[in-house]
Amino acid sequence: MAVKTIWPVDHTCGHHADRDLSDRPADRRAGFAEWLARQRCLYPLPHAPGQP
Ligand SMILES: [Zn+2]
């Protein structure tokens, strides 16, 4: 069974990013991906008003 290291992160602003979490402990990747989704996304693009 392949180890999943790339996790899809859907930010609350609507942006989507696939993050390489291979440097994170395997049992923490899912939780970290969820945490990332709640953070400001990596995109420098303007966001809709009221969005992070
Ligand atoms: Zn965004």
Side-chain angles (χ1 to χ4, degrees):
M1 185 171 105
V3 177
K4 184 178 180 182
T5 57
I6 306 296
W7 289 81
V9 176
D10 292 304
H11 292 277
T12 55
C13 59
H15 283 132
H16 174 90
D18 289 323
R19 300 291 300 267
D20 184 354
L21 303 185
S22 60
D23 60 338
R24 298 278 165 177
D27 60 343
R28 291 192 176 180
R29 282 170 194 157
F32 187 66
E34 290 181 10
W35 177 84
L36 278 174
R38 297 195 299 269
Q39 308 307 307
R40 185 171 186 155
C41 79
L42 299 175
Y43 296 91
L45 304 173
H47 287 79
Q51 296 291 341

